[in-house]
Amino acid sequence: MKQYLLSIYQPDGPAPGPEILEPVMENLAILNDELRAAGAWVFSAGLHPPESATVLRADGDEVLLTDGPFTEGKEHLGGFTVIQADDLDEALSWGRKLATILQPLSIEVRPFAG
């Protein structure tokens, strides 16, 4: 089975309030249980806001550290799920379920190399 990364992109700014977030998190827990039962779940996690990031860039023998996200944008990687699936169609099926739960957020499905 191949492994796929399901990346969750969310808009910059504060997280939605509990009246919106709690039902989403409940449905996400149900999907994670479904992934585990199907033997597809590998790992998932949410991330701290992009301001918590540190970017490292090598330039010759020196490494420059910069606070905050690498790029400026209107959205950022908010979390991810790693799954294993027989093929892209199966991975996209799981991605559709995740996108439905997290709408209107975008989900990127990408296979791991190798």
Side-chain angles (χ1 to χ4, degrees), residues 31-32 35-36 38-44 81-84:
L31 176 60
N32 284 335
L35 282 161
R36 284 183 188 96
W41 187 87
V42 176
F43 181 79
S44 63
T81 299
V82 177
I83 63 168
Q84 54 188 16

Side-chain angles (χ1 to χ4, degrees), residues 59-104:
D59 184 8
D61 292 338
E62 294 187 33
V63 177
L64 176 66
L65 276 72
T66 307
D67 291 337
F70 175 67
T71 59
E72 299 270 335
K74 295 182 180 178
E75 62 182 20
H76 60 274
L77 180 64
F80 61 89
T81 299
V82 177
I83 63 168
Q84 54 188 16
D86 287 328
D87 54 31
L88 180 59
D89 289 336
E90 183 181 343
L92 291 173
S93 177
W94 289 115
R96 281 184 191 92
K97 291 181 180 192
L98 184 58
T100 300
I101 290 169
L102 298 177
Q103 64 182 299

Side-chain angles (χ1 to χ4, degrees), residues 9-30:
Y9 291 95
Q10 64 188 60
D12 288 342
E19 68 281 356
I20 294 173
L21 200 53
E22 286 176 9
V24 168
M25 296 308 290
E26 289 172 11
N27 288 329
L28 191 55
I30 292 168

